[in-house]
Amino acid sequence: MSLSDSLLLADEPAPAQWVNAGGRAPFLLLGDHAGNAIPRALGTLGLSGQDRERHIAWDIGVHALGIALAGALDAPFLFQPYSRLVIDCNRDPAHPEAAPAISDGSAIPGNRRLQARDLAARIAAIHAPYHAEIAAEIARRGAAARPTILLALHSFTPALGGRARPWHAGVLYDRGDTRFAEALLAGLRAQADLVVGDNEPYRMDATDFSVPHHAYPAGLPYAEIEVRQDGLEMPAAVERWCEALRRACTAALPSVIA
């Protein structure tokens, strides 16, 4: 029995799931933290129901936004449905935050004194197959001479550590081909009703995994998009963000594709 077989049961969600897999746009949408499921073998990780619904467990609103944007752009959306507290798919699996023992003031009992074999089982069951599917899709598109722009979708809590965050959204980027990210930032800022951060509320750095791991080595244009979670609470708000991002992505496309 493999490590992955020992964690996920046959009827539990696959760790890499597609929406609009046949989408023809150059965009490949990613949802690293799109769900808050916990494998039954891990119980609740010792968390209350309230903590399992908080931002510490997932990127609230990203699943709905990804589905809407996949339709609006005719782009595939690849997401993983398990909580970032089980294994964070936007962290190197060796990073201390890959399975944190505490997050924004909440203890994660199921991650306290986590044994190496138990962490390896989570990586094998969720982290590795999710990233393998991203890599395989990039390879498939490359073999078909299809361009790829990687768009990682995330959301952030309106306040952290007692400090309010004024941005409605942020565009994150660092190394590699940043042309699309910079054009996307300009396109969102051109929409007068939006306050959009440049590498806010986080700066893309060595803490991030998905974009650096997949976009940098392949020379892919990319952007990591952060939307404040109170802007994704209702279906109508998700649709407004979908339209704002559709317009900005479409306007930024000529920055990388003639």
Side-chain angles (χ1 to χ4, degrees):
M1 179 180 290
S2 71
L3 286 171
S4 59
D5 289 339
S6 68
L7 181 61
L8 293 182
L9 301 178
D11 64 340
E12 292 189 284
Q17 300 198 13
W18 287 99
V19 172
N20 194 30
R24 301 304 301 170
F27 306 107
L28 174 56
L29 310 178
L30 301 181
D32 298 335
H33 307 140
N36 62 348
I38 299 175
R40 290 202 296 276
L42 302 181
T44 65
L45 292 176
L47 295 167
S48 68
Q50 182 178 10
D51 273 341
R52 295 197 302 275
E53 294 294 329
R54 288 181 62 209
H55 73 96
I56 62 172
W58 60 330
D59 280 353
I60 297 166
V62 158
H63 184 253
L65 179 62
I67 292 172
L69 197 57
L73 291 173
D74 189 26
F77 174 43
L78 176 60
F79 71 93
Q80 76 83 19
Y82 290 97
S83 173
R84 65 194 303 170
L85 298 177
V86 175
I87 187 70
D88 192 328
C89 285
N90 194 33
R91 296 291 182 269
D92 186 301
H95 194 282
E97 293 181 6
I102 189 167
S103 183
D104 192 21
S106 289
I108 319 300
N111 290 349
R112 191 181 301 129
R113 294 185 292 276
L114 188 63
Q115 298 298 306
R117 178 177 174 82
D118 296 327
L119 177 61
R122 299 183 192 188
I123 295 166
I126 299 169
H127 194 287
Y130 173 66
H131 284 286
E133 187 64 14
I134 297 172
E137 176 63 11
I138 291 171
R140 286 191 291 264
R141 294 162 73 103
R146 288 183 59 194
T148 297
I149 301 170
L150 207 61
L151 286 182
L153 304 179
H154 293 265
S155 68
F156 64 95
T157 183
L160 187 67
R163 299 184 64 179
R165 291 155 146 186
W167 310 279
H168 297 117
V171 177
L172 279 57
Y173 57 96
D174 182 22
R175 293 180 286 118
D177 187 345
T178 63
R179 292 174 297 163
F180 182 81
E182 294 176 53
L184 180 65
L185 174 63
L188 286 171
R189 284 182 162 177
Q191 300 182 43
D193 56 336
L194 297 179
V195 178
V196 183
D198 182 348
N199 272 312
E200 298 286 2
Y202 312 104
R203 173 166 291 279
M204 180 175 283
D205 56 23
T207 304
D208 292 276
F209 183 78
S210 294
V211 165
H213 185 70
H214 294 287
Y216 294 175
L220 299 179
Y222 69 88
E224 186 168 314
I225 301 165
E226 291 272 0
V227 178
R228 202 171 67 196
Q229 289 164 358
D230 58 354
L232 296 173
E233 291 176 341
M234 303 297 291
V238 170
E239 288 301 322
R240 286 194 294 272
W241 265 113
C242 176
E243 177 57 18
L245 288 168
R246 185 201 64 78
R247 292 199 306 266
C249 286
T250 302
L253 194 55
S255 68
V256 292
I257 296 177

